[in-house]
Amino acid sequence: MGRAAGPGGALTTPDRFGMLFETNPGYYQNFTWYPWLWMAGGDVFTPDLRRSAFDSTAAHRAMRLWQDAVRSGAAPRRVRGEGGNDTISNLAQGYCAMQQLGIWGIAEIAEQAPGFRYGVTPMPAPPGGTATTALGSWAMVANAYGANPEAAAEFVAWALGSSDPAGVERMRQWNTVAKTGIPPRRSVRRAAEAQGAFDDGPMRVFADQVMAQARPEPRYPPEVYRAISDALQSCQLDGADPAEAAGAASEQIDTFLAGYDGAAIQ
């Protein structure tokens, strides 16, 4: 591996990639790629959600960015460990100099590689764009056909939605002690701030800079996710032309939308 051009090129050495993007196909890869599309001014759907907007200059540029990173040798074709969200196997062990991932990496490094020194920065926006990230989360659901759905629903409400002091404290510890995250509830975030959770270090960078502009992770049906995933994979790893790949994906999405009669796509 020699010195490479493109994203992370200046940090690429014979023993280390300069940048790491997820290369395994799946919802996580799409999730980490969407901000590059958004920052370039693109989107998957038109504002009325009735047609595909995927075949755009923004999509072409965003896919070409990931393609150029791999093609130049600045980014790997294969990531280590559990994937592009694995900080220990990739970043902490020196496989790459920079890695795109989320706030969970702070807790992961603190627990598994406490002596590893690193920094956090928002993703760079293209000229005229605004740095934007994707908001992800976990959720609990109650099975309506379970043995006791009422008790299950009560537990979910107790675990995630309790507004009493004990409930707020429980969520503070879950978000900033058991793991690292930005609480979505204002009361929990205020409690976390009172305990200094975002006073300094990587958590402050996430709270003040990375999460300053953000959009929720899209909840696209499998047909839409797959069309985007196939386009991204073909460009990143197989050398496909981004404009052709985006055009084909856009046609697939429009075909799906023409027969779709379900809940609103978000």
Side-chain angles (χ1 to χ4, degrees):
M1 189 194 317
R3 187 182 178 95
L11 297 175
T12 302
T13 73
D15 302 312
R16 181 191 67 199
F17 289 100
M19 182 66 203
L20 186 140
F21 298 115
E22 177 65 273
T23 60
N24 295 321
Y27 275 95
Y28 178 74
Q29 184 183 45
N30 285 25
F31 167 70
T32 58
W33 180 79
Y34 289 134
W36 300 101
L37 171 68
W38 299 335
M39 291 190 294
D43 218 320
V44 174
F45 295 107
T46 56
D48 61 9
L49 302 178
R50 294 183 178 179
R51 289 192 60 80
S52 168
F54 192 69
D55 187 10
S56 65
T57 300
H60 306 165
R61 290 176 175 173
M63 286 194 288
R64 190 173 298 281
L65 175 75
W66 281 33
Q67 182 183 70
D68 287 347
V70 171
R71 178 180 289 169
S72 69
R77 295 182 58 85
R78 180 176 297 178
V79 297
R80 288 181 172 177
E82 297 179 0
N85 62 341
D86 184 336
T87 58
I88 307 304
S89 300
N90 294 292
L91 185 65
Q93 294 184 0
Y95 187 57
C96 61
M98 297 187 295
Q99 180 177 358
Q100 180 189 349
L101 76 160
I103 195 170
W104 61 84
I106 298 174
E108 190 172 66
I109 291 173
E111 179 181 350
Q112 300 182 45
F116 179 67
R117 298 180 61 188
Y118 67 99
V120 172
T121 186
M123 292 184 294
T130 301
T132 304
T133 191
L135 296 174
S137 64
W138 294 98
M140 291 183 180
V141 297
N143 186 348
Y145 298 98
N148 195 334
E150 291 80 11
E154 288 179 6
F155 171 78
V156 171
W158 171 87
L160 302 180
S162 300
S163 58
D164 59 287
V168 172
E169 173 62 12
R170 185 164 53 248
M171 283 292 93
R172 180 194 73 81
Q173 293 193 28
W174 171 245
N175 279 276
T176 60
V177 179
K179 64 184 185 72
T180 43
I182 304 292
R185 293 173 53 188
R186 291 189 179 92
S187 59
V188 178
R189 177 155 180 172
R190 286 194 296 267
E193 289 171 344
Q195 293 292 325
F198 311 113
D199 282 356
D200 51 34
M203 289 290 280
R204 180 170 183 174
V205 176
F206 264 96
D208 292 350
Q209 299 179 43
V210 177
M211 312 287 278
Q213 293 289 333
R215 289 177 53 173
E217 177 183 4
R219 294 185 295 171
Y220 296 148
E223 293 84 354
V224 175
Y225 141 72
R226 177 63 69 181
I228 298 170
S229 177
D230 289 347
L232 181 56
Q233 283 278 300
S234 67
C235 291
Q236 184 187 30
L237 302 178
D238 294 334
D241 178 73
E244 294 180 2
S250 194
E251 290 182 7
Q252 294 177 44
I253 294 171
D254 276 335
T255 298
F256 166 72
L257 289 174
Y260 180 71
D261 184 24
I265 297 176
Q266 300 179 6

